[in-house]
Amino acid sequence: MEENKHIEELDAFAKKYITDIEPDTPSIDFTSNLMEAIHETENASVFKPTPLISSKVWIVLFVILITSIIYVSNGESIAKLWQFKFNYSLNNIVPDFLNTLSISNIMLYACFFFTVLIFVQIYLLKARFENYINS
Amino acid sequence: MYVIVKVAIINNDQTYIEKILQGNTNAFAFLVEKYKVMVFSLALKMLKNKEEAEEVSQDTFIKAYKNLSKFKGDSKFSTWLYKIAYRNCLDNLKKNKERYVVDTIDEVTIHKISSTEDILESISRKERAIVIKKCLNDLPEEERTLLWMFYFDELNLKEIMEITGLSSSNLKVKLHRARKRLVSVVEKNVEPELINHYGRK
């Protein structure tokens, strides 16, 4: 009973005096500045950026690059590529290439950690950009 | 009568929201005009900095505009907007890593409430509002915000729960603690204020 009266007194006190406070008002040009910002974002969203090099072009470039590397590593001149003499299979090239490959342990560890760090960096950069875009 | 007026206000908001969604960007200015004081006051109560409060208020309206299509009308538009403003302010506080030292609350008896009231009644309404505003700013951010939402903006417990994500029991406890602390802070502040003002005792 006493506790309820106490709660009621506190409630009445807060209600009585907090409602006396004048609300704070933002600057006079708040609405106009805001609408200007909104119009700017509207105009920005109309332009949707497209990449200069499309994914299809990237695939074609990647295939050309890999084909050239394979062809040149087989001791052939790149000029001969245009003669269309693809008379070997990938199975014959890869084991030969691996057999002749010699690499030091230090280089191997360096490559391994470099790869790991690239993947860590991709994750961190992605999180950072997502955070930046969403904020 | 009150219900009719309330429904008319909600429908009014909905009319403008539909206009905006149909591509009339300028219709948003009506909602900004209507709710800017509410959003700014909350931001200022939480952040205690006019520039930051204005920036956060602006950001709140921009976010609301961008996500207007996600507003399904399950709650009032004002509650939805308030929720965005509240989250924005919390993010801002986190960014600035602001920490408040929370004092313990002295025993608040009924006698103490009435004596504090007596002192407050002896000064003018305008001065009283200044004193209460100052005391409110001395409260921890969460308590200050809850009191502001409940008493000034007259949000009900359900709406505050939706905005803050607090449970009903937790909210009631926090509100009770906030009221007690307010009386305690007012009592501590009001007498020196009066002495300074009137130069007596």
Side-chain angles (χ1 to χ4, degrees):
Chain A
M1 190 69 182
E2 187 69 20
E3 181 63 21
N4 281 347
K5 200 186 170 197
H6 187 224
I7 292 170
E8 279 171 21
E9 289 278 333
L10 281 170
D11 181 56
F13 180 93
K15 190 181 273 180
K16 186 176 179 182
Y17 295 114
I18 291 175
T19 47
D20 266 358
I21 300 173
E22 288 284 319
D24 301 289
T25 48
S27 59
I28 304 163
D29 50 1
F30 180 83
T31 309
S32 57
N33 286 345
L34 180 68
M35 290 312 291
E36 207 174 292
I38 284 173
H39 283 298
E40 272 174 27
T41 53
E42 275 288 285
N43 293 335
S45 61
V46 170
F47 173 72
K48 285 182 181 168
T50 49
L52 285 173
I53 300 169
S54 69
S55 53
K56 279 181 187 173
V57 174
W58 275 118
I59 291 168
V60 171
L61 287 173
F62 184 72
V63 170
I64 291 171
L65 180 75
I66 295 296
T67 315
S68 305
I69 289 170
I70 292 166
Y71 198 74
V72 172
S73 66
N74 204 32
E76 299 284 344
S77 162
I78 195 82
K80 283 188 181 176
L81 196 67
W82 305 109
Q83 294 171 9
F84 303 105
K85 287 181 181 174
F86 291 101
N87 57 352
Y88 51 85
S89 70
L90 199 67
N91 289 339
N92 294 335
I93 303 159
V94 176
D96 283 350
F97 173 70
L98 290 175
N99 283 338
T100 54
L101 184 73
S102 72
I103 193 163
S104 68
N105 281 344
I106 291 173
M107 187 65 180
L108 203 64
Y109 293 142
C111 287
F112 175 73
F113 284 112
F114 183 71
T115 314
V116 168
L117 285 174
I118 282 177
F119 280 102
V120 170
Q121 202 172 10
I122 287 169
Y123 175 77
L124 291 175
L125 283 173
K126 190 172 170 284
R128 190 184 165 86
F129 278 113
E130 274 178 359
N131 192 28
Y132 175 75
I133 288 163
N134 293 333
S135 68
Chain B
M1 183 67 182
Y2 174 72
V3 174
I4 295 167
V5 171
K6 208 169 181 182
V7 168
I9 290 168
I10 293 166
N11 284 344
N12 204 11
D13 284 352
Q14 199 54 44
T15 310
Y16 280 92
I17 290 165
E18 278 162 21
K19 277 184 187 174
I20 299 158
L21 291 176
Q22 281 161 11
N24 183 359
T25 311
N26 290 329
F28 192 63
F30 169 82
L31 296 176
V32 175
E33 274 299 313
K34 188 173 171 184
Y35 293 112
K36 69 178 181 186
V37 172
M38 182 193 88
V39 170
F40 180 74
S41 292
L42 173 78
L44 192 59
K45 281 287 153 293
M46 287 183 79
L47 306 171
K48 296 206 286 186
N49 179 302
K50 210 164 183 176
E51 284 74 32
E52 277 181 30
E54 187 140 336
E55 204 176 297
V56 167
S57 307
Q58 194 163 26
D59 193 42
T60 299
F61 281 108
I62 291 173
K63 272 189 186 162
Y65 178 79
K66 283 181 181 170
N67 294 296
L68 208 56
S69 57
K70 291 179 192 166
F71 174 66
K72 300 291 175 213
D74 300 333
S75 60
K76 284 195 281 179
F77 176 73
S78 57
T79 311
W80 183 73
L81 188 65
Y82 224 104
K83 198 173 176 177
I84 300 174
Y86 180 75
R87 298 270 158 88
N88 268 354
C89 291
L90 285 186
D91 285 347
N92 190 287
L93 287 170
K94 266 185 217 165
K95 251 185 232 172
N96 295 334
K97 292 186 171 59
E98 202 163 330
R99 293 283 181 270
Y100 295 93
V101 179
V102 180
D103 295 334
T104 50
I105 312 169
D106 296 341
E107 182 68 21
V108 178
T109 58
I110 291 175
H111 171 73
K112 196 183 244 186
I113 299 169
S114 58
S115 64
T116 310
E117 260 190 283
D118 288 343
I119 301 170
L120 284 173
E121 290 302 319
S122 67
I123 54 177
S124 73
R125 190 179 170 168
K126 201 177 171 185
E127 286 167 331
R128 204 160 54 218
I130 294 167
V131 170
I132 295 291
K133 197 172 183 176
K134 186 180 169 292
C135 293
L136 208 56
N137 278 340
D138 287 344
L139 297 184
E141 169 265 317
E142 192 182 33
E143 292 179 2
R144 185 170 66 238
T145 309
L146 292 178
L147 286 177
W148 189 255
M149 286 181 187
F150 192 70
Y151 291 107
F152 191 85
D153 286 323
E154 294 178 339
L155 301 181
N156 58 40
L157 291 176
K158 202 180 158 200
E159 285 170 325
I160 301 176
M161 277 160 61
E162 194 188 324
I163 292 162
T164 57
L166 292 171
S167 68
S168 171
S169 53
N170 198 1
L171 176 59
K172 283 177 188 167
V173 168
K174 280 176 190 262
L175 263 174
H176 182 63
R177 199 183 298 148
R179 290 183 198 113
K180 274 169 76 175
R181 204 187 301 275
L182 178 69
V183 175
S184 183
V185 171
V186 171
E187 197 231 354
K188 275 182 194 165
N189 280 277
V190 88
E191 267 197 80
E193 284 276 336
L194 279 180
I195 295 162
N196 288 340
H197 192 80
Y198 295 110
R200 62 183 156 85
K201 194 178 173 184

